[in-house]
């Protein structure tokens, strides 16, 4: 088992990574919880909920709530339904919520925990590669019709339990999605690692390498969170690729493109803008080729520009009316950059033209 | 102007009390906010929103949102509407929310601030006596159909600006309501002060005394919060009178009885149970008489017992299935006490019988 400690200012916690550790969950629960609510989705519950429930047999009151798989469940309606369930099941301030699933479940169940009776403990049990990112750092949220994650809190989990065995059942598109966040972390932190991540096609990825990559990604994130938990400064670097990525997801409707695929497009765009703004060369072509070879989709067309710009302006990262974006001065050297809307529009147009051409 | 500092672990802040200080709000705003949303209700906005808006003329983007006065506005629907407004008005992470009104507005606007883009700054500008309590301590919340304040966070304000001039326009029932929380604070902290609070009828209360009382109440609360912000221990003492109080409000429907009136009944009940459990004498009769003379209503009947017990079990303060209640070992000596439901039921029955008889 691998352990990463996060020395959070709000509440320190541990991330455990290991093959099959979901069976031993009760070994890692510290306090005596009065009851436990396991929240999962229709994809994951069938596969792993029983394993977790069995590990919790020592507790009196353990319940399971299953929501529909997909981003649509991060709505205010489902959020409220889960709160209602928690009340009806008699959860109190000494109860625990366990989020079993990908990022959607982690964000949703985490926000329920953050706001149920002004906050109860919760544990993240991520079951996707993508969730290595969302399960660490205490960002919990639901979506507003007008944008992703606009409603939420900073509310760290008590523990993250990452059973790498659960990744074996992931569909290819989920692997693709999660791997994009690993690439993002490498771009922020470490050129050598970036090269390594692109050195092989995804189809040949084995679990040992993946576990190693996940631990590395988590460590990069943990060190950033320790310095800036509330995202006032350097934590924003983790939004590399997300300004366009989020806008694209919202524009297409959640679920059309996976989060990671949208971020992958965003990463390319961030490199495109960085090259122009800083007059540098980045391995944009290399990343673009690798993404294409690994069947990442590229849903962008000139007609979308105005709407995407509007959505980017509405993003959390907007300060007044400039668009704030994370750029790279070099590999491993992210910076926060403010740009006016007209310039952004031009960049988006040249970017779409360039990529569309190279992909023909 | 009087100042109380709260050395919150989450974020230290100041409480300013003064006559007419609402006009000078911009003197007390520290950072440069990108935009400001003032949230108020239909009772308060007409009286004071303009004064605040005028004080904010130096800011580019200042907006006002008015919700219906009353507990009904602490709903998930109004909460979501306010978030939508905030998005549409372009509020970003560097925006400020100002809560202008009583406890409902403070709780609601505070919860919007706590969860908008994972938390932005907010200022409490309480306009009721009751809100001296709710505006301090960072408890923000909305109601669930099944109970008060079941959805919320601990999220301290950046500042509390208490303009005592606004209390002049309070209707008698609001004075009655707020004064009950002052009595609660005195029961928790200070026998002499308790005697003083009951020494005159409410009708003869003057502003100087009231300001002094408010400062004293706030200080008592501030010192408790500094020791236990998240209500894991002694902060629970402030719930004296609230176990039955909340149940009663929920049972009757929000707004039928004022919060303070419900708490006043709860205080009497806490004294009733304390006397029986600890075999002591408390000035229960004295308080009961004073409440009656000052026209506090007493909406309790034997038929309500089962439902009230159910509601108390559902209260945040329930641990497993015992009901947790704050009792007094003596004046100024609150304790947390767990009681089983049957015992609680008996106490409630004898209490109702006794009070009903004395009020005939």
């Amino acid at each position: 088992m691998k352990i990463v400690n996060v020395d959070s200012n709000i509440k320190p916690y541990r991330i455990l990574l290991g093959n099959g550790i979901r069976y031993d969950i009760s070994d890692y629960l510290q306090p005596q919880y009065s009851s436990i609510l396991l929240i999962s989705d229709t994809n994951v519950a069938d596969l792993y909920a029983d394993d977790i429930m069995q590990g919790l047999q020592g507790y009196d009151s353990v319940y399971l709530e299953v929501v529909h798989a997909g981003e649509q469940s991060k709505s205010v309606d489902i959020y409220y339904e889960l709160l209602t369930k928690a009340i009806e099941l008699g959860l109190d301030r000494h109860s625990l919520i366990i989020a079993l699933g990908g990022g959607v479940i982690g964000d949703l169940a985490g926000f329920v925990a953050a706001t149920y009776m002004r906050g109860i403990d919760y544990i993240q049990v991520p079951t996707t590669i993508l969730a290595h990112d969302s399960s660490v750092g205490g960002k919990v949220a639901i979506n507003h019709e007008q944008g992703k994650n606009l409603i939420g809190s900073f509310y760290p989990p008590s523990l993250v339990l990452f059973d790498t065995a659960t990744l074996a059942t992931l569909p290819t598109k989920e692997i693709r999605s999660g791997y994009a966040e690993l690439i993002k972390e490498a771009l922020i932190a470490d050129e050598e690692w970036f090269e390594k991540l692109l050195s092989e096609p995804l189809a040949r990825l084995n679990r040992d390498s993946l576990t190693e990559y996940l631990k590395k990604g988590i460590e990069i994130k943990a060190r950033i969170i320790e310095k800036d938990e509330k995202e006032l400064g350097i934590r924003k670097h983790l939004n590399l690729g997300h300004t366009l990525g989020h806008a694209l997801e919202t524009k297409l409707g959640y679920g059309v493109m996976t989060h990671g695929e949208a971020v992958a497009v965003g990463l390319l765009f961030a490199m495109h803008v960085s090259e122009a703004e800083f007059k540098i060369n980045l391995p944009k072509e290399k990343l673009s080729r690798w993404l294409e070879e690994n069947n990442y989709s590229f849903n962008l067309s000139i007609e979308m520009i105005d709407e995407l710009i509007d959505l980017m302006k509405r993003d959390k990262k907007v300060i007044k009316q400039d668009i704030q974006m994370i750029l790279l001065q070099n590999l491993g050297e992210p910076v926060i950059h403010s740009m006016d809307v007209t310039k952004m529009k031009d960049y988006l147009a040249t970017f779409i033209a360039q990529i569309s051409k190279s992909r023909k």
Side-chain angles (χ1 to χ4, degrees), chain A:
Chain A
M1 192 171 68
K2 295 177 195 297
I3 301 176
V4 181
N5 289 299
V6 184
D7 194 12
S8 157
N9 282 319
I10 307 173
K11 178 174 75 177
Y13 56 97
R14 292 189 306 166
I15 298 145
L16 313 179
L17 290 103
N19 190 14
I21 59 174
R22 70 181 180 282
Y23 293 103
D24 309 320
I25 188 162
S26 67
D27 295 354
Y28 309 109
L29 299 190
Q30 312 260 352
Q32 281 304 334
Y33 291 107
S34 58
S35 58
I36 299 177
L37 175 60
L38 179 61
I39 298 177
S40 192
D41 73 23
T42 44
N43 284 346
V44 176
D46 287 350
L47 295 167
Y48 307 117
D50 279 352
D51 303 343
I52 302 279
M53 300 289 274
Q54 271 173 31
L56 297 171
Q57 277 178 346
Y59 289 85
D60 282 344
S61 314
V62 182
Y63 311 102
L64 170 66
E65 266 301 302
V66 178
V67 304
H68 276 285
E71 191 78 30
Q72 291 79 357
S73 284
K74 268 177 71 176
S75 69
V76 72
D77 291 340
I78 301 291
Y79 163 69
Y80 195 77
E81 276 174 29
L82 287 172
L83 289 166
T84 305
K85 267 289 162 199
I87 294 167
E88 288 171 357
L89 293 169
L91 267 69
D92 62 27
R93 283 190 180 171
H94 304 270
S95 298
L96 173 73
I97 285 178
I98 299 175
L100 172 68
V104 167
I105 289 298
D107 282 3
L108 172 67
F111 190 53
V112 170
T115 56
Y116 184 67
M117 297 187 172
R118 296 203 181 86
I120 63 174
D121 281 0
Y122 75 109
I123 291 177
Q124 295 276 15
V125 185
T127 59
T128 64
I129 299 174
L130 189 61
H132 86 275
D133 179 45
S134 56
S135 67
V136 174
K139 278 189 174 185
V140 295
I142 55 174
N143 298 325
H144 188 280
E145 293 144 280
Q146 302 200 24
K148 268 191 85 156
N149 296 330
L150 290 179
I151 309 172
S153 310
F154 289 100
Y155 193 78
S158 301
L159 176 74
V160 181
L161 201 83
F162 204 159
D163 185 346
T164 49
T166 64
L167 304 176
T169 54
L170 280 183
T172 316
K173 71 168 186 153
E174 287 300 331
I175 295 173
R176 213 179 275 137
S177 180
Y179 209 78
E181 291 282 358
L182 289 170
I183 294 172
K184 176 200 78 179
E185 283 144 10
L187 285 172
I188 289 171
D190 188 336
E191 176 165 5
E192 199 184 327
W193 187 33
F194 172 75
E195 298 292 340
K196 198 168 176 198
L197 284 175
L198 300 202
S199 65
E200 285 195 298
L202 276 185
R204 259 189 265 147
L205 187 67
N206 69 61
R207 190 166 64 215
D208 285 349
S209 307
L210 181 57
T211 305
E212 196 49 48
Y213 296 162
L214 288 170
K215 179 165 186 259
K216 194 157 171 134
I218 288 171
E219 270 170 348
I220 287 167
K221 184 159 185 183
R223 297 300 85 81
I224 289 176
I225 289 159
E226 287 168 351
K227 290 192 194 121
D228 173 30
E229 191 145 22
K230 294 279 182 80
E231 197 167 318
L232 302 168
I234 61 160
R235 184 166 177 172
K236 292 181 184 170
H237 295 166
L238 293 166
N239 290 324
L240 183 71
H242 283 65
T243 305
L244 178 59
H246 276 170
L248 199 53
E249 279 186 282
T250 307
K251 157 73 186 140
L252 296 173
Y254 302 135
V256 172
M257 209 169 173
T258 62
H259 175 69
E261 280 182 307
V263 167
V265 175
L267 291 175
L268 287 179
F269 180 57
M271 288 168 104
H272 176 79
V273 178
S274 301
E275 287 185 332
E277 289 278 300
F278 305 135
K279 323 251 178 277
I280 53 168
N281 280 313
L282 292 169
K284 186 177 76 167
E285 279 313 310
K286 181 169 186 172
L287 177 57
S288 176
R289 224 168 25 248
W290 186 91
L291 292 171
E292 197 174 358
E293 283 162 10
N294 286 279
N295 301 312
Y296 282 73
S297 57
F298 184 81
N299 277 304
L300 260 186
S301 67
I302 297 290
E303 297 72 38
M304 297 179 184
I305 289 180
D306 284 337
E307 206 176 332
L308 288 173
I309 292 283
D310 276 351
L311 287 164
M312 285 194 255
K313 277 163 62 184
R314 209 179 282 158
D315 196 77
K316 280 186 299 301
K317 292 170 285 297
V318 170
I319 294 204
K320 294 205 171 168
Q321 291 309 313
D322 273 4
I323 295 176
Q324 216 183 16
M325 197 178 163
I326 309 305
L327 298 182
L328 293 170
Q329 285 179 307
N330 209 331
L331 284 201
E333 291 177 33
V335 282
I336 304 168
H337 201 76
S338 265
M339 231 172 333
D340 77 43
V341 168
T342 322
K343 216 169 171 185
M344 196 72 161
K345 238 171 158 168
D346 291 346
Y347 281 134
L348 199 49
T350 55
F351 174 67
I352 294 174
Q354 214 176 86
I355 300 277
S356 307
K357 202 172 140 197
S358 81
R359 286 217 163 195
K360 249 166 215 163

